[in-house]
Amino acid sequence: MPFTSRIGILGAGRAGTALARAAATVGIPMNIASSRSPSQMKYHLAQYAPQATAVPAEEIGADVQLVVLMVPQDDLDEVDPESVNGLTLIDATNRWEEMPLPDWLENGQAAGLSSSEVIAQHFGGSRVVKALNHISHWDLDSDSSSRQGQQRALAVASDHRPDATLTARLVRTLGFAPVILRGLAEGRLMEPEGEIFNQVLSAAQLRALLHDR
Ligand SMILES: NC(=O)c1ccc[n+]([C@@H]2O[C@H](COP(=O)([O-])OP(=O)(O)OC[C@H]3O[C@@H](n4cnc5c(N)ncnc54)[C@H](OP(=O)(O)O)[C@@H]3O)[C@@H](O)[C@H]2O)c1
């Protein structure tokens, strides 16, 4: 069954607007928010995500069941967990090189958790799914000739099976082949140092890679 519900996208930069364009192409409506107000985003969105409805960041969860987090990790202290309380939260964030992180995120990873496990603790009222982070905005963008086929596999990791299944439906509707991992801890494979980050794999290749580990 295709995913048709409205989604929220938190972050209107390269990744957020690429997702908005990809979602619009397949008929998924979306709200989008950044650190700026809707009126301040007006010209930016007219150019990069004309079909997105701009909302204030604190209202990103107002009329959706699923929000995609596409904010740089160093800005996560500025995101109020209340704004996504009770929702499926797709964590599409990555750490880039030595980017400074909020203390809670740095400390959680130093204690051995994957970044999404720490984000799941921080956004404790949401059900976190790691997805859409290990593909570049160029390849996510439906207009991109570098997409390399409709059946590229994208991994989905969560400790909440119904939310993983919902996210897999979104991924499939966007034109990719979802592969559900065992849990958020396994989402480490999707992080920048992980084996599948930015790898163009079919679902069969991704499953084989998971099986052989
Ligand atoms: N670029 C990619 O190819 C790609 C692919 C997959 C995942 N990601 C991940 O997605 C995240 C964003 O990457 P990006 O490349 O899109 O970054 P970007 O181009 O710098 O855009 C960041 C966006 O986040 C917004 N933002 C910052 N603080 C915010 C807050 N407190 N509330 C709401 N919005 C806020 C910014 O708003 P303003 O414009 O108002 O400052 C901007 O729209 C990163 O974690 C990255 O690792 C990126």
Side-chain angles (χ1 to χ4, degrees), residues 66-69 87-93 116 119-120 126-133 155-168 171 180 184 190:
L66 179 157
V67 169
V68 186
L69 185 63
L87 304 179
T88 306
L89 181 66
I90 298 183
D91 171 26
T93 69
S116 289
I119 285 171
S126 307
R127 298 175 305 282
V128 169
V129 181
K130 180 109 185 150
L132 297 172
N133 73 299
V156 173
S158 181
D159 295 335
H160 301 275
R161 188 69 194 199
D163 303 84
T165 304
L166 181 71
T167 302
V171 165
I180 297 180
L184 266 190
M190 302 156 69

Side-chain angles (χ1 to χ4, degrees), residues 119-195:
I119 285 171
Q121 286 181 350
H122 184 74
F123 291 90
S126 307
R127 298 175 305 282
V128 169
V129 181
K130 180 109 185 150
L132 297 172
N133 73 299
H134 68 93
I135 180 170
S136 77
H137 67 99
W138 299 109
D139 290 355
L140 187 56
D141 198 321
S142 58
D143 290 337
S144 172
S145 57
S146 67
R147 206 173 193 192
Q148 305 189 42
Q150 290 296 301
Q151 286 310 305
R152 174 174 174 173
L154 290 186
V156 173
S158 181
D159 295 335
H160 301 275
R161 188 69 194 199
D163 303 84
T165 304
L166 181 71
T167 302
R169 269 180 54 216
L170 170 64
V171 165
R172 190 179 300 287
T173 303
L174 289 170
F176 300 94
V179 173
I180 297 180
L181 307 191
R182 280 186 287 263
L184 266 190
E186 204 174 24
R188 195 186 303 279
L189 288 172
M190 302 156 69
E191 294 181 3
E193 297 77 26
E195 288 170 67

Side-chain angles (χ1 to χ4, degrees), residues 10-16 33-36 57 70-73 75 78-79 92-94 96 132-133 135-137:
L10 195 56
R14 288 161 295 186
S34 79
S35 63
R36 289 172 281 164
M70 288 183 145
V71 166
Q73 288 189 343
D75 290 325
E78 309 307 318
V79 178
T93 69
N94 296 302
W96 281 114
L132 297 172
N133 73 299
I135 180 170
S136 77
H137 67 99

